Short mmCIF file of all heavy atoms in Angstrom, two decimals:
data_model
loop_
_atom_site.label_atom_id
_atom_site.label_comp_id
_atom_site.label_asym_id
_atom_site.label_seq_id
_atom_site.Cartn_x
_atom_site.Cartn_y
_atom_site.Cartn_z
N ARG A 734 -22.00 7.31 2.16
CA ARG A 734 -21.20 6.70 3.21
C ARG A 734 -19.73 7.13 3.09
O ARG A 734 -19.08 7.45 4.08
CB ARG A 734 -21.28 5.18 3.11
CG ARG A 734 -20.59 4.43 4.26
CD ARG A 734 -21.40 4.53 5.56
NE ARG A 734 -22.70 3.97 5.41
CZ ARG A 734 -23.01 2.68 5.60
NH1 ARG A 734 -22.06 1.83 5.93
NH2 ARG A 734 -24.25 2.26 5.46
N TYR A 735 -19.23 7.17 1.85
CA TYR A 735 -17.84 7.56 1.65
C TYR A 735 -17.61 9.04 1.92
O TYR A 735 -16.50 9.42 2.31
CB TYR A 735 -17.40 7.18 0.23
CG TYR A 735 -16.82 5.78 0.15
CD1 TYR A 735 -17.47 4.71 0.77
CD2 TYR A 735 -15.64 5.52 -0.52
CE1 TYR A 735 -16.96 3.44 0.71
CE2 TYR A 735 -15.11 4.25 -0.58
CZ TYR A 735 -15.77 3.20 0.04
OH TYR A 735 -15.24 1.94 0.01
N LEU A 736 -18.62 9.86 1.71
CA LEU A 736 -18.48 11.28 2.06
C LEU A 736 -18.16 11.43 3.53
O LEU A 736 -17.34 12.26 3.93
CB LEU A 736 -19.75 12.04 1.72
CG LEU A 736 -19.99 12.35 0.24
CD1 LEU A 736 -21.40 12.91 0.04
CD2 LEU A 736 -18.96 13.36 -0.26
N ARG A 737 -18.81 10.64 4.37
CA ARG A 737 -18.54 10.70 5.81
C ARG A 737 -17.18 10.12 6.15
O ARG A 737 -16.49 10.63 7.03
CB ARG A 737 -19.64 9.95 6.57
CG ARG A 737 -19.38 9.86 8.08
CD ARG A 737 -19.35 11.24 8.72
NE ARG A 737 -18.83 11.22 10.09
CZ ARG A 737 -17.56 11.36 10.42
NH1 ARG A 737 -16.63 11.55 9.48
NH2 ARG A 737 -17.18 11.35 11.68
N LEU A 738 -16.78 9.08 5.44
CA LEU A 738 -15.52 8.41 5.76
C LEU A 738 -14.30 9.14 5.22
O LEU A 738 -13.23 9.11 5.83
CB LEU A 738 -15.54 6.98 5.21
CG LEU A 738 -16.55 6.01 5.83
CD1 LEU A 738 -16.53 4.69 5.09
CD2 LEU A 738 -16.25 5.79 7.31
N TYR A 739 -14.45 9.77 4.04
CA TYR A 739 -13.27 10.30 3.35
C TYR A 739 -13.38 11.77 2.94
O TYR A 739 -12.38 12.34 2.50
CB TYR A 739 -12.98 9.46 2.10
CG TYR A 739 -12.67 8.03 2.41
CD1 TYR A 739 -13.59 7.02 2.10
CD2 TYR A 739 -11.48 7.65 3.02
CE1 TYR A 739 -13.31 5.68 2.39
CE2 TYR A 739 -11.20 6.33 3.31
CZ TYR A 739 -12.12 5.35 2.99
OH TYR A 739 -11.85 4.04 3.29
N GLY A 740 -14.56 12.38 3.04
CA GLY A 740 -14.70 13.77 2.62
C GLY A 740 -15.08 13.89 1.15
O GLY A 740 -15.06 12.91 0.39
N VAL A 741 -15.42 15.12 0.73
CA VAL A 741 -15.96 15.36 -0.61
C VAL A 741 -14.93 15.06 -1.70
O VAL A 741 -15.18 14.28 -2.63
CB VAL A 741 -16.46 16.81 -0.74
CG1 VAL A 741 -16.92 17.08 -2.16
CG2 VAL A 741 -17.61 17.06 0.24
N LYS A 742 -13.75 15.68 -1.62
CA LYS A 742 -12.77 15.55 -2.70
C LYS A 742 -12.29 14.11 -2.86
O LYS A 742 -12.15 13.61 -3.98
CB LYS A 742 -11.59 16.49 -2.44
CG LYS A 742 -11.93 17.96 -2.55
CD LYS A 742 -10.71 18.83 -2.32
CE LYS A 742 -11.05 20.30 -2.45
NZ LYS A 742 -9.87 21.17 -2.21
N ARG A 743 -12.04 13.47 -1.75
CA ARG A 743 -11.54 12.07 -1.80
C ARG A 743 -12.60 11.15 -2.37
O ARG A 743 -12.31 10.25 -3.16
CB ARG A 743 -11.16 11.64 -0.38
CG ARG A 743 -10.49 10.29 -0.32
CD ARG A 743 -8.99 10.44 -0.51
NE ARG A 743 -8.37 9.12 -0.44
CZ ARG A 743 -8.17 8.34 -1.49
NH1 ARG A 743 -8.52 8.73 -2.68
NH2 ARG A 743 -7.58 7.17 -1.35
N THR A 744 -13.86 11.35 -1.97
CA THR A 744 -14.95 10.53 -2.49
C THR A 744 -15.12 10.73 -3.99
O THR A 744 -15.29 9.77 -4.75
CB THR A 744 -16.26 10.86 -1.76
OG1 THR A 744 -16.11 10.54 -0.37
CG2 THR A 744 -17.43 10.07 -2.32
N LEU A 745 -15.08 11.98 -4.43
CA LEU A 745 -15.21 12.25 -5.87
C LEU A 745 -14.09 11.58 -6.65
O LEU A 745 -14.31 11.06 -7.75
CB LEU A 745 -15.21 13.76 -6.12
CG LEU A 745 -16.46 14.51 -5.70
CD1 LEU A 745 -16.28 16.01 -5.90
CD2 LEU A 745 -17.68 14.03 -6.48
#
Side-chain angles (χ1 to χ4, degrees):
R734 186 73 60 87
Y735 270 46
L736 284 171
R737 175 62 192 90
L738 294 175
Y739 299 108
V741 175
K742 292 181 179 179
R743 187 87 180 91
T744 297
L745 288 175

